[in-house]
Amino acid sequence: MKTIGLIGGMSWHSTASYYRIINETVAQRLGGHSSAQIALQSLDFAAVRQCQVEDDWAGAGDLLSRAAAGCVAGGADVVAICTNLMHKVAPAVEASVDVPLLHIADAVAGVAAAHGWDRLGILGARWVMEEPFYAERLARHGITAMVPEADDRTLVDRVVFDELTRGVVAAESRAAYVGVIDRLAQRGAQAVVLACTEIGLLVGPDDSPLPVVDSAEAHARALAELALTERVPA
């Protein structure tokens, strides 16, 4: 089994989901007492959040690159950033280590391909919804990213940072998100990506008017499957 390097703590609430899903997947596949080999670097989200607010993406890239190096020093054969937004600095992280980085949008695209979806609504931090780095990665797989209208984007981003990354899960925010998803469905989205790894704590498949791709679950399962392969692809 390969060792998975997780760059987490952004926030720790979703990193806990990664740890659980990866280990559940390995246990299901191998049985018995089997669990995953994981090297975890859990960052202080306050420091990462300050970089985000100040648009200090070079500083954020340095923080995550050092964490990636720590994962590799701990034996990681593959590394992963346990957040959608911080894939904004994925190129810097990838360049800092000599093992592969499994991109979260590639894992999302794998789920979409299995269902034949090529028009996905995107819910996440404002950078994920408004900047090209995420949509362009999905476009490599023939997927069109559809984002909410401006007021809905403001709502989604506010709930992410004022509530979900602080461990607050509110019924009224769930209802508001369902409204956003419904409006994406009316515009032709075939499914919705929970493109913040905490949104799955708020909105589940039974809540949504569209099929849901939980990015945290997709990424974690892809990492577990990769760890169970004979060889990690370059």
Side-chain angles (χ1 to χ4, degrees):
M1 189 192 311
K2 303 296 185 291
T3 299
I4 301 167
L6 297 180
I7 305 170
M10 301 170 287
S11 69
W12 70 263
H13 303 281
S14 59
T15 304
S17 297
Y18 270 80
Y19 190 81
R20 174 182 54 79
I21 293 166
I22 290 169
N23 278 294
E24 285 176 350
T25 303
V26 169
Q28 289 165 2
R29 285 282 304 276
L30 299 183
H33 293 290
S34 297
S35 59
Q37 297 175 178
I38 295 174
L40 170 62
Q41 291 281 313
S42 189
L43 297 175
D44 176 4
F45 187 47
V48 177
R49 181 63 180 151
Q50 183 174 358
C51 289
Q52 294 170 352
V53 171
E54 296 177 353
D55 277 334
D56 182 11
W57 298 104
D62 287 343
L63 281 174
L64 269 68
S65 293
R66 290 198 297 272
C71 290
V72 174
D77 299 293
V78 59
V79 297
I81 302 169
C82 300
T83 157
N84 291 266
L85 169 54
M86 297 314 294
H87 279 75
K88 184 173 166 67
V89 299
V93 175
E94 195 166 22
S96 72
V97 292
D98 58 2
V99 301
L101 181 146
L102 181 59
H103 198 289
I104 196 168
D106 293 343
V108 165
V111 174
H115 290 86
W117 300 323
D118 60 10
R119 295 191 309 280
L120 299 179
I122 306 296
L123 301 186
R126 64 177 177 84
W127 293 273
V128 173
M129 294 185 288
E130 295 177 357
E131 295 192 7
F133 68 94
Y134 200 83
E136 288 177 351
R137 190 76 182 204
L138 291 175
R140 294 187 189 184
H141 301 274
I143 294 170
T144 298
M146 302 175 61
V147 300
E149 300 294 345
D151 288 348
D152 283 346
R153 295 198 302 271
T154 298
L155 164 71
V156 170
D157 182 81
R158 179 189 62 75
V159 171
V160 166
F161 291 111
D162 290 355
E163 298 178 17
L164 298 177
T165 54
R166 301 178 186 210
V168 176
V169 177
E172 57 269 29
S173 295
R174 179 179 299 110
Y177 267 45
V178 168
V180 174
I181 297 169
D182 186 58
R183 288 185 282 280
L184 286 167
Q186 292 173 29
R187 290 168 48 204
Q190 298 163 312
V192 63
V193 181
L194 309 184
C196 163
T197 51
E198 283 80 23
I199 296 178
L201 303 173
L202 178 69
V203 178
D206 293 339
D207 304 307
S208 175
L210 284 174
V212 165
V213 183
D214 184 336
S215 61
E217 181 175 358
H219 202 198
R221 291 196 185 282
L223 286 163
E225 294 297 336
L226 185 57
L228 292 167
T229 61
E230 290 297 316
R231 178 175 174 272
V232 175

